[in-house]
Amino acid sequence: MATLLKFCRPFCPIRFPNLTRKIRLTTHLSHNTLFFNPKSGRSSLIRCTRLSSLSSSQPSELWLYNTMTKNKQVFEPKLEGQVGMYVCGVTAYDLSHIGHARVYVTFDILYRYLRHLEYEVRYVRNFTDVDDKIIARANELGEDPISLSRRYCEEFCQDMLHLHCLPPSVEPRVSDHMLQIIDMIKQILDNGYAYRVDGDVYFNVYKFPEYGRLSGRKLEDNRAGERVAVDSRKKNPADFALWKAAKEGEPSWESPWGFGRPGWHIECSAMSAAYLGYSFDIHGGGMDLVFPHHENEIAQSCAACKESNIRYWIHNGFVTVDSEKMSKSLGNFFTIRQVIDLYHPLALRLFLMGTHYRSPINYSDVQLESASDRIFYIYQTLHDCVNVLSQNDAAVRVDLIPPDTANCINNFQNIFVDSMSDDLHTPVVLAAISDPLKTINDLLHTRKGKKQEFRIESLGALEKTIKTVLTVLGLVPTSYSEVLQQLREKALKRAKLTEDQVLEKIEERTAARRNKEYEKSDVIRKELAAVGIALMDSADGTTWRPAVPLALQEEKVTAT
């Protein structure tokens, strides 16, 4: 034994309470492990693999779809290692709907992934707190427009917190940036791109020949009344307001053109320039902003500064209901609050990233139920894994694991890197997580898995890898046990049941099975399954977990 130990280093602390246990030793050079059984005098060699870390396998290129060029491009920031990103925020006059949620979850994932790639990111997301819609809503409620908007800004921040969206570096508001807005309008006028009419200031689109290059629209397509305000005083129907003269009962600010307030588009040009300069890396928002908002932003910014240049324009697709865009104006929207009243916020987040960000995503109960069911499975698996790991000596958790587990982890890492670097293909990552989760469950629950050598090391490496990926996706909860309980509570609310009522049903079914009343037992199971409560039988008794209600399962199969 002394000779053996001379050439091997311990894989974990070795204790000798008796000589009937296997001794686990790892060689310095090969990282193979020798198992020596003192009782039999036999030894066996298990080949192990040293894992590369997720960060060490990162590619050199991130590809993003650029709306301006209409194709995917390699991401190359203006300054090496640094990224400036501006995302258009909400017009704060009501609670935000899940169309808004999709925008900000999309750019939160981009923000997280850029940081994962070790970029230093300055992320700016504004609040529009001066706007026609805000003024109209405030008049309805008899409330000051700025106060109303401030209240809904705070509500929006709470929604983002629930959805695990990281706070941006800066969240500027229009009302705090009038000086910057007025200065930019002055510059546009001085450069000959705008004109004054009765206290209003309009941008002259005919002065900017490149107008329409982002959206692909021709100038003659911009007919008055079609997303362009009708005003006979304008030189061209497509001209848009930079400054609006004050009206009675509206908030206003002093300017060289008299009291008034800014038009919608100028605010983002002014605030992005204030915090990121006229030339920066990423400008993003929903696809509905391509025209007229972002088209007008480009015109304004270039008119104010000819060196203005945004390298990548990124837009996410719509959330639809019955194949129609979800929006407040159409009245077919669901607020974030309405959805998370019945579904966990992280289930909503998972649903939103289950479709590629540029594709439309159709909102439905079956999709939310499926996302809720999926995220419960993910967290239950990781909860069980962490429980087992906590019962074992932390010293054994090293990055030496059997080849099968190493291959599973490395394959998952490669899919994660390849998919995220290919224009943030989150659906592929979410599908790929199935393999490491299945491996964890095999190690936890199957007879073969429980006997596998390096079981604890394998569980530790798998859990660490999955958690790293979930962190980038914004899906790591504060506590697995806490989020599982919250998911159960949401399921009970949707089922219109209390936990006591479910437990009573379980007792009733247990008694029926004991009395061999199997038909009654099946009826109880089906009744609960119909409302999304699945019963799980084991040697320790019957428990329950949330599930997709039977009718929605059938709807999902039919749709597939």
Side-chain angles (χ1 to χ4, degrees):
M1 177 65 75
T3 304
L4 178 63
L5 291 175
K6 181 179 179 181
F7 296 103
C8 299
R9 63 180 174 87
F11 185 83
C12 63
I14 301 174
R15 304 177 181 86
F16 296 97
N18 56 58
L19 289 180
T20 60
R21 297 176 57 190
K22 289 184 179 179
I23 299 173
R24 186 162 44 179
L25 304 164
T26 304
T27 64
H28 281 290
L29 298 177
S30 67
H31 303 297
N32 294 336
T33 296
L34 182 69
F35 279 84
F36 179 72
N37 190 326
K39 186 175 181 180
S40 66
R42 295 179 179 178
S43 62
S44 59
L45 190 67
I46 303 295
R47 295 192 178 277
C48 297
T49 303
R50 182 172 291 277
L51 286 173
S52 59
S53 68
L54 189 57
S55 59
S56 68
S57 60
Q58 300 299 346
S60 58
E61 295 181 341
L62 165 63
W63 291 75
L64 295 172
Y65 185 88
N66 190 346
T67 307
M68 180 65 77
T69 62
K70 309 297 186 291
N71 57 37
K72 283 189 282 190
Q73 292 179 269
V74 176
F75 179 68
E76 296 175 342
K78 178 184 174 184
L79 298 174
E80 186 176 351
Q82 298 180 36
V83 176
M85 180 168 76
Y86 187 95
V87 175
C88 292
V90 293
T91 300
Y93 68 97
D94 203 347
L95 293 174
S96 297
H97 57 66
I98 61 172
H100 297 124
R102 190 179 196 198
V103 178
Y104 304 115
V105 166
T106 293
F107 288 97
D108 181 67
I109 292 168
L110 176 57
Y111 181 36
R112 287 171 178 270
Y113 191 57
L114 288 168
R115 292 184 8 160
H116 176 73
L117 296 178
E118 300 183 349
Y119 285 107
E120 181 183 334
V121 186
R122 185 166 175 79
Y123 175 18
V124 182
R125 186 182 69 207
N126 75 296
F127 281 112
T128 297
D129 62 348
V130 179
D131 184 79
D132 293 342
K133 293 176 181 177
I134 297 170
I135 293 168
R137 184 72 191 280
N139 288 339
E140 285 176 19
L141 300 174
E143 192 172 344
D144 174 67
I146 299 298
S147 297
L148 177 136
S149 184
R150 186 180 301 116
R151 176 159 56 86
Y152 282 115
C153 287
E154 291 170 0
E155 297 287 2
F156 172 82
C157 289
Q158 283 300 308
D159 288 340
M160 294 301 101
L161 188 64
H162 288 313
L163 290 171
H164 278 210
C165 290
L166 297 173
S169 313
V170 189
E171 293 184 276
R173 302 186 186 200
V174 176
S175 60
D176 296 329
H177 292 79
M178 287 300 163
L179 288 177
Q180 292 88 338
I181 290 169
I182 290 169
D183 284 345
M184 180 171 276
I185 295 173
K186 283 182 187 176
Q187 192 63 47
I188 294 170
L189 278 165
D190 291 346
N191 291 343
Y193 287 91
Y195 57 92
R196 301 167 58 174
V197 181
D198 303 328
D200 294 335
V201 181
Y202 285 99
F203 188 92
N204 189 339
V205 295
Y206 279 2
K207 292 278 188 174
F208 189 69
E210 293 184 328
Y211 190 80
R213 64 185 175 129
L214 179 69
S215 62
R217 293 170 65 107
K218 296 179 181 178
L219 201 53
E220 54 267 28
D221 294 336
N222 302 326
R223 295 186 293 273
E226 295 182 10
R227 306 194 75 182
V228 182
V230 179
D231 190 334
S232 60
R233 301 173 305 154
K234 295 194 294 185
K235 292 183 178 180
N236 307 295
D239 293 350
F240 55 91
L242 299 175
W243 187 261
K244 298 181 178 182
K247 294 179 182 177
E248 188 177 349
E250 293 185 357
S252 61
W253 288 261
E254 188 175 2
S255 80
W257 321 287
F259 277 89
R261 58 185 174 87
W264 173 34
H265 312 295
I266 191 66
E267 65 186 60
C268 287
S269 289
M271 288 188 286
S272 63
Y275 292 98
L276 298 172
Y278 278 97
S279 179
F280 57 92
D281 300 300
I282 296 170
H283 198 315
M287 199 172 289
D288 55 329
L289 297 185
V290 173
F291 183 87
H293 187 53
H294 287 166
E295 195 73 75
N296 292 351
E297 274 194 66
I298 293 170
Q300 294 164 159
S301 297
C302 291
C305 176
K306 63 182 180 180
E307 283 79 29
S308 176
N309 178 48
I310 311 304
R311 299 170 74 88
Y312 304 87
W313 288 89
I314 299 176
H315 298 90
N316 66 275
F318 296 132
V319 177
T320 60
V321 179
D322 298 326
S323 301
E324 199 171 33
K325 177 201 166 189
M326 179 182 291
S327 71
K328 290 178 180 176
S329 59
L330 294 174
N332 64 344
F333 69 95
F334 297 91
T335 66
I336 296 170
R337 297 291 172 86
Q338 286 174 318
V339 176
I340 65 175
D341 182 51
L342 292 175
Y343 297 94
H344 197 281
L346 292 179
L348 174 56
R349 185 179 176 101
L350 186 76
F351 158 71
L352 292 171
M353 66 177 69
T355 299
H356 187 257
Y357 78 89
R358 284 191 288 114
S359 300
I361 182 171
N362 196 53
Y363 174 86
S364 67
D365 288 342
V366 67
Q367 295 275 32
L368 263 295
E369 288 284 357
S370 296
S372 187
D373 184 62
R374 180 64 175 166
I375 209 158
F376 187 91
Y377 168 71
I378 292 170
Y379 293 149
Q380 185 66 66
T381 300
L382 294 174
H383 174 266
D384 294 346
C385 180
V386 170
N387 277 352
V388 170
L389 290 172
S390 67
Q391 297 166 17
N392 289 269
D393 191 341
V396 303
R397 294 181 216 166
V398 298
D399 57 353
L400 291 173
I401 57 175
D404 286 350
T405 305
N407 288 338
C408 175
I409 291 173
N410 289 330
N411 287 339
F412 179 50
Q413 287 178 343
N414 290 337
I415 291 171
F416 167 74
V417 170
D418 291 346
S419 301
M420 292 298 289
S421 295
D422 182 18
D423 199 29
L424 308 179
H425 230 301
T426 52
V428 178
V429 179
L430 293 175
I433 203 172
S434 297
D435 284 344
L437 289 172
K438 181 181 183 302
T439 302
I440 287 177
N441 278 311
D442 287 345
L443 290 168
L444 289 174
H445 304 299
T446 68
R447 185 176 300 175
K448 180 181 177 182
K450 290 178 180 179
K451 292 180 178 179
Q452 182 174 306
E453 305 294 358
F454 294 102
R455 174 174 177 259
I456 299 303
E457 289 75 17
S458 293
L459 287 171
L462 286 159
E463 190 269 340
K464 180 181 178 182
T465 303
I466 293 172
K467 190 172 182 179
T468 298
V469 170
L470 292 181
T471 299
V472 176
L473 298 179
L475 290 172
V476 176
T478 306
S479 157
Y480 292 131
S481 57
E482 183 179 304
V483 74
L484 288 168
Q485 181 57 31
Q486 291 167 351
L487 285 161
R488 289 188 189 93
E489 289 168 0
K490 297 289 186 185
L492 289 169
K493 188 169 187 177
R494 295 194 299 274
K496 297 181 172 60
L497 292 170
T498 65
E499 185 152 25
D500 285 343
Q501 288 172 324
V502 172
L503 294 177
E504 285 174 12
K505 287 287 186 182
I506 289 174
E507 289 177 11
E508 186 181 342
R509 177 174 173 270
T510 301
R513 294 176 74 196
R514 192 184 305 118
N515 297 329
K516 299 185 179 181
E517 297 175 302
Y518 299 118
E519 188 174 335
K520 182 179 179 181
S521 168
D522 289 342
V523 168
I524 294 171
R525 177 190 282 277
K526 288 177 182 177
E527 284 177 354
L528 291 174
V531 292
I533 305 295
L535 300 185
M536 318 292 289
D537 295 321
S538 71
D540 298 324
T542 302
T543 56
W544 72 274
R545 56 152 289 172
V548 180
L550 282 179
L552 293 179
Q553 288 183 37
E554 292 167 4
E555 181 182 324
K556 184 178 179 182
V557 170
T558 302
T560 303

